[in-house]
Amino acid sequence: MATNVRIAAGDFEALVKQLGDPVRAKQAFRHLIGARSAALEAVRNGLTNSNGDVRMHCVRALDHLVDEDAWPAVIAMLGDPDPRVRVHALHAIACDRCKDAVCRPAKADVLPRAISPLRDDPIYHVRLMAVEVVGGWVHGDREAAAADPARMQGHGSSREAIPSNQR
């Protein structure tokens, strides 16, 4: 039986820790999103947590809370060992719908980091989400056009998905 854990108002670090608990993660995520910029520092700190679930949910939260100062941390998550984190980081970069703020990372900061998983990531879902990011620049950037997945030999046949126990 799960016990209720009380969190002091404004204790965003405790909410971030709860993102690693499958029972409490959804509610903790909602509280962090609802707190908006007040929770931003704790969410950014959660990106360094050893628990992949915490890092994944923190990237998801940053998709909604991101500001100019948070983009480097989101972009850095493209190198995370957990494919779920990489997928959500790519989504955060590609998606404008989830964000309250209208800010975009600089192409020079994103494009080289997004081309790498497009070409080399062993997980199909990561490569697919990288297409979303790189595709945003494919018509106006020679480097993005050269990363066209249809031109890459041997990459189209590998459809290794994120293991079901990590979704």
Side-chain angles (χ1 to χ4, degrees):
M1 180 189 322
T3 59
N4 269 344
V5 176
R6 295 245 181 233
I7 303 278
D11 189 356
F12 303 117
E13 298 291 338
L15 285 170
V16 167
K17 285 182 185 176
Q18 286 191 354
L19 295 173
D21 179 346
V23 173
R24 295 187 175 92
K26 186 181 278 188
Q27 185 174 7
F29 179 81
R30 288 183 185 140
H31 283 294
L32 290 166
I33 297 300
R36 305 234 183 264
S37 61
L40 196 53
E41 183 178 348
V43 171
R44 268 189 281 198
N45 291 340
L47 296 175
T48 62
N49 193 289
S50 62
N51 184 323
D53 291 337
V54 172
R55 294 191 313 275
M56 177 191 68
H57 289 301
C58 284
V59 169
R60 288 183 55 231
L62 283 174
D63 183 26
H64 297 270
L65 304 173
V66 73
D67 63 6
E68 291 291 334
D69 296 332
W71 279 121
V74 172
I75 294 166
M77 299 314 287
L78 297 178
D80 194 87
D82 188 324
R84 300 169 306 155
V85 175
R86 296 192 305 270
V87 165
H88 286 288
L90 286 161
H91 170 84
I93 293 166
C95 181
D96 289 331
R97 188 182 71 223
C98 299
K99 292 165 191 56
D100 291 335
V102 181
C103 64
R104 302 286 308 149
K107 177 175 78 169
D109 296 334
V110 174
L111 192 56
R113 296 291 308 268
I115 288 173
S116 178
L118 175 64
R119 289 181 172 159
D120 302 322
D121 201 287
I123 304 297
Y124 173 75
H125 288 99
V126 176
R127 292 193 312 272
L128 193 62
M129 189 53 68
V131 168
E132 289 284 324
V133 174
V134 175
W137 287 292
V138 77
H139 294 292
D141 187 279
R142 193 171 290 189
E143 187 180 6
D148 180 357
R151 297 181 189 177
M152 291 184 279
Q153 296 180 354
H155 286 291
S157 62
S158 175
R159 291 187 54 101
E160 183 179 345
I162 297 172
S164 61
N165 65 343
Q166 290 188 359
R167 289 187 193 142

